[in-house]
Amino acid sequence: MKKILLAVALGAVLGLVDGASAWIEPDARPQIGSIILWSALKDVVAGFLIGLFAVWVRSKVAVVLFGLLVGLGLAFYIAWQEDSATGNAYYAQIMVPGGLVGV
């Protein structure tokens, strides 16, 4: 249970930092509040899944790879939704930090 709570808390903090990094992109500045909120929520979900996986699997390498896949998968979904809603393709800007947070 400690691993799950730690992963969720770390996901929330890293999600806030990840979302706040969108300030660098001038087009994203008007929506910075919702970006930070959804990024934190995405990373809390990722933290929960990674923490749950870490409880069952003892291999650190497997947990890191799973975290990378979860981070990239959730970030891809967010980037895909952004692309289909607005036509702006920010895959690299969303997926790179998402993958790093997952790791």
Side-chain angles (χ1 to χ4, degrees), residues 72-94:
L72 286 175
L74 290 173
F76 176 78
Y77 178 74
I78 298 296
W80 178 63
Q81 289 295 320
E82 174 69 22
D83 187 18
S84 64
T86 64
N88 297 328
Y90 294 115
Y91 288 96
Q93 293 93 330
I94 295 173

Side-chain angles (χ1 to χ4, degrees), residues 16-46:
L16 291 172
V17 173
D18 178 20
S21 70
W23 184 261
I24 296 170
E25 183 66 39
D27 293 340
R29 289 181 184 164
Q31 301 139 355
I32 195 72
S34 65
I35 291 171
I36 291 173
L37 174 72
W38 289 109
S39 179
L41 182 63
K42 168 187 67 86
D43 291 332
V44 164
V45 170

